[in-house]
Amino acid sequence: QVHLVESGGGSVQAGGSLRLSCAASEYGYSMAWFRQAPGKEREGVAHIGLSPSDTIYADSVKGRFTISRDNAKNTMYLQMRSLKPEDTAIYYCAAGLKSFVLRLQLAGYNSWGQGTQVTVSS
């Protein structure tokens, strides 16, 4: 398994922006961002393949969030704009995609970071 460390969470007002980072211990994995709000199941937010142009997003974040990666730094990012209170959650990065069809599914990954809190106030 690859070791993942997230950073960049924090508190912002609605309409604000944050950028999350996820540093991986090694290269060579498709990666994704998930989030889990209080009392809710963890859900997929965005996925990126080894090619930076290979991306998909959950409908709830399309047009507001951008996933990217810097392969030279083994780091993935999530730029979040126009944040809403409903974006409040712990955000996790994941790596080690098992199957293409599971790109935004929990079962699709075998490595997880510890999570970083994002809080959006109205």
Side-chain angles (χ1 to χ4, degrees):
Q1 293 186 345
V2 60
H3 183 59
L4 304 169
V5 179
E6 302 100 333
S7 61
S11 298
V12 296
Q13 291 190 328
S17 299
L18 279 175
R19 189 177 83 153
L20 306 182
S21 299
C22 173
S25 59
E26 56 190 274
Y27 172 72
Y29 295 88
S30 293
M31 301 177 74
W33 287 100
F34 285 74
R35 66 185 181 186
Q36 188 165 16
K40 295 188 176 181
E41 294 185 352
R42 195 172 300 188
E43 63 176 359
V45 173
H47 166 273
I48 188 166
L50 290 177
S51 168
S53 63
D54 178 14
T55 61
I56 60 168
Y57 296 89
D59 288 342
S60 58
V61 305
K62 280 181 182 177
R64 299 189 299 121
F65 290 11
T66 302
I67 190 170
S68 62
R69 66 188 298 162
D70 183 336
N71 289 333
K73 297 180 179 179
N74 292 346
T75 301
M76 174 181 66
Y77 304 97
L78 186 68
Q79 179 67 54
M80 305 184 291
R81 298 182 176 89
S82 302
L83 283 161
K84 305 175 181 179
E86 51 263 43
D87 294 318
T88 295
I90 299 174
Y91 283 71
Y92 299 88
C93 66
L97 182 65
K98 301 174 186 176
S99 171
F100 182 80
V101 298
L102 298 177
R103 289 172 294 170
L104 290 182
Q105 303 297 321
L106 279 177
Y109 299 87
N110 55 24
S111 295
W112 294 86
Q114 82 287 351
T116 186
Q117 177 71 47
V118 171
T119 302
V120 185
S121 58
S122 57

